[in-house]
Amino acid sequence: MNDHVHVDPAALTKNQALVFSALSDANGPLTAYAILDELRGDGFKAPLQVYRALEKLIEGGLVHRLESLNAFVACRHPTGCSHQWAAFAICESCGDVKEFSPDKAMDLLKDWAENDGFKLAKTTVELRGQCPACLAT
Amino acid sequence: MNDHVHVDPAALTKNQALVFSALSDANGPLTAYAILDELRGDGFKAPLQVYRALEKLIEGGLVHRLESLNAFVACRHPTGCSHQWAAFAICESCGDVKEFSPDKAMDLLKDWAENDGFKLAKTTVELRGQCPACLAT
DNA sequence: ATGGACATGTTATAGTATTACATCACTGAT
DNA sequence: ATCAGTGATGTAATACTATAACATGTCCAT
């Protein structure tokens, strides 16, 4: 059903919990250094503290990295969904990011990989453009 | 048929031609700074010379940016194909990158965007994993 | 020849990520 | 209880990626 290892949020370490909380509270994606600034009041002093926590959170499927933004978002999906195959629509006007799961498209990409003999570990799918709200204005 | 503006390679400026040539000669993706080092013998001295040329080459569809690598590849397709919708399979063992055009999957992503009212400008699709050659060893 | 558009040169700086090494906290085996 | 091993953390330094700002050059159309 799901080949992804999920982390019990209650099992997060202090730093991981702080980073996850900062991302969850944010409306959109945050860069590592933005997270660092958010958490200076909690004793964070160096980027590595953020990057280390992010690494674990991403492994656990609680956070996604947006490659085209060098930024990070908390996963909004309930624990247990297919985090590995998430896709993102990124509005270039307002910065809003919407996570979705284009299962059919992902299946086709998996098929392509399989037919090519490519062992797929993860996919990055990021759509850039204008969100409906920005188009309306 | 094709809504992409293509550049006549003969119309490239000197710097653009040098950068394109460096990328074409390379077996795989190069970072901007790797390109800079390649071209120091040709008088390149600053990253901006590379980045400016890359910007134009990407606009023209001659070069693609790999977001998950912060690197760049020359497009191997003949001028005229759908560069905007290219996808890449990136081998995490040997670094080899294969460009492909998963039209069906891209159509589904376009459909998703359309149904959501999202005006799609470009897509990033990058598959990470192991290529057949590396799996065989 | 002059003005405008665009390509280029150069320096400095901003933004993103990792290496290296020291310390601490917990757990399990003796 | 002690010790070794593992993993989390702290800290400083550095490497890597990208852009801002400003000066200069080149070419073409008027």
Side-chain angles (χ1 to χ4, degrees), chain A residues 86-102:
Chain A
F88 302 89
I90 300 167
C91 177
E92 292 177 329
S93 295
C94 68
D96 184 60
V97 172
K98 180 166 183 177
E99 180 176 348
F100 65 108
S101 296

Side-chain angles (χ1 to χ4, degrees), chain A residues 55-126:
Chain A
E55 184 182 6
K56 298 297 181 185
L57 292 167
I58 291 169
E59 272 178 35
L62 295 175
V63 166
H64 297 291
R65 176 190 175 93
L66 299 173
E67 300 285 356
S68 65
L69 294 179
N70 293 327
F72 305 85
V73 283
C75 178
R76 304 294 185 186
H77 288 164
T79 296
C81 82
S82 302
H83 298 274
Q84 261 171 324
W85 313 114
F88 302 89
I90 300 167
C91 177
E92 292 177 329
S93 295
C94 68
D96 184 60
V97 172
K98 180 166 183 177
E99 180 176 348
F100 65 108
S101 296
D103 294 330
K104 286 254 186 346
M106 290 297 187
D107 286 344
L108 289 172
L109 292 175
K110 287 181 210 170
D111 289 346
W112 179 91
E114 192 170 335
N115 288 335
D116 202 60
F118 188 90
K119 185 177 174 197
L120 192 52
K122 99 175 262 260
T123 66
T124 295
V125 175
E126 296 178 14

Side-chain angles (χ1 to χ4, degrees), chain B residues 31 33 47-48 51 65 70 72:
Chain B
T31 66
Y33 280 74
L48 198 47
Y51 282 109
R65 177 191 174 92
N70 292 327
F72 305 86

